[in-house]
Amino acid sequence: MAYEFIQVRTEGGKVGVITLNRPKQLNALNNELMDELGAAMKAFDADAAIGCMVLTGSEKAFAAGADIGAMASYTFADVYKGDYITRNWETIRTIRKPVIAAVSGFAPGGGCELAMMCDFIIAADNAKFGQPEIKLGIIPGAGGTQRLPRAVGKAKAMDLALTGRMMDATEAERAGLVSRIVPLDKLMDEALGAALMICDYSQLAVLAAKESINRAFESGLADGVMFERRLFHALFATADQKEGMDAFVNKRKAQFKHQ
Ligand code: CO8
């Protein structure tokens, strides 16, 4: 499928790479881009050859947030009745395979929210995150007030959302928003390296790990631990568990068949 606002490719036949591509608008997220992103992610999720995805932008901007020009004239009735700025924003949450955000440059507003919807964020040293919607007379609308405090705690989330200031990669990593920081020219190598590594593990275990960690944000501790235990038990029914443990015992590299 041909896309206008994103570029799509595969790496090593296993990693689906999606690059946001509205350079003149710093990858501002309009409806059409979000529709394309949703379609591309669903296609990779359904493709048995793909084990992991990487979502990235340009060196200057991961994404400068939702498209302000497109939103400027919307009324409450427009946005409440229609799905103008909600459609396909939640698609990424339905994706079962891991999605790594490789973030360089600006990631304010919806850009930060999109990165937070990914499973983890690897940041270039020039990355900048924030929720500056307050400056536009609105608040975050794609989970920023919910996922940011879960990632960085209440104090920093309040600071960012109420002042609209941006935080750099170092502060974001220290606060727990970002899993690793790398020099800008190493960003894609690092993200693709992590993605390829994930692809080679048992996909059953990978899906279970993602599902179980996400459960931690939706349940109490006892329920979450029980959910984890049931998935842990279930993985003993897989050929990959036999392969992984036999390989360890016999000091060889495991060859997972994703079964
Ligand atoms: N929307 C539309 N156009 C944008 C956006 C944007 N978010 N950001 C930048 N652009 C455009 C600029 O208008 C400019 O266009 P032009 O060249 O035609 O004038 C071009 O991109 C380059 O931008 P700048 O000249 O401003 O570049 P700078 O390097 O000087 O600054 C910044 C970069 C700091 C990123 C700056 O562009 C900026 O502050 N952008 C806006 C950031 C922002 O406020 N984002 C939040 C938007 S609101 C939001 O995301 C809510 C999400 C809710 C989703 C709800 C779904 C359910």
Side-chain angles (χ1 to χ4, degrees), residues 206-250:
V206 165
L207 296 180
K210 170 168 172 166
E211 210 176 346
S212 197
I213 290 174
N214 281 333
R215 188 72 172 208
F217 297 96
E218 309 289 348
S219 64
L221 183 60
D223 286 346
V225 168
M226 185 53 74
F227 184 82
E228 176 195 76
R229 188 148 313 152
R230 290 293 171 252
L231 286 177
F232 176 77
H233 291 156
L235 289 170
F236 282 79
T238 68
D240 285 344
Q241 173 268 329
K242 301 289 173 292
E243 168 63 10
M245 294 194 181
D246 183 75
F248 179 83
V249 169
N250 291 297

Side-chain angles (χ1 to χ4, degrees), residues 24-26 28 60 64-68 85 89 106 110 113 133 141:
K24 287 204 181 96
Q25 295 83 9
L26 304 184
K60 176 155 188 201
D67 190 314
I68 300 169
I85 52 172
W89 273 89
F106 293 109
E113 292 171 304
E133 288 89 343

Side-chain angles (χ1 to χ4, degrees), residues 91-196:
T91 302
I92 190 166
R93 288 184 55 217
T94 69
I95 300 301
R96 297 193 64 207
K97 293 171 184 168
V99 183
I100 301 172
V103 176
S104 43
F106 293 109
C112 185
E113 292 171 304
L114 181 61
M116 288 193 289
M117 283 185 228
C118 297
D119 296 309
F120 62 98
I121 301 172
I122 299 181
D125 49 14
N126 74 337
K128 283 191 169 23
F129 300 87
Q131 299 290 163
E133 288 89 343
I134 200 81
K135 296 181 179 178
L136 300 170
I138 56 169
I139 66 168
T145 64
Q146 304 304 303
R147 291 193 183 91
L148 192 61
R150 282 168 168 79
V152 305
K154 177 182 166 186
K156 206 171 276 289
M158 284 284 190
D159 178 359
L160 292 165
L162 294 178
T163 69
R165 78 172 176 88
M166 301 290 285
M167 66 177 165
D168 64 15
T170 306
E171 183 179 358
E173 202 245 353
R174 210 168 47 222
L177 180 66
V178 157
S179 71
R180 329 175 184 176
I181 306 175
V182 292
L184 177 57
D185 63 349
K186 298 282 185 302
L187 178 65
M188 283 313 282
D189 286 350
E190 187 82 6
L192 292 172
L196 286 165

Side-chain angles (χ1 to χ4, degrees), residues 73-94:
S73 62
Y74 288 153
T75 65
F76 169 77
D78 288 335
V79 296
Y80 190 65
K81 283 196 297 184
D83 64 352
Y84 300 106
I85 52 172
T86 50
R87 70 180 194 212
N88 267 318
W89 273 89
E90 295 289 308
T91 302
I92 190 166
R93 288 184 55 217
T94 69

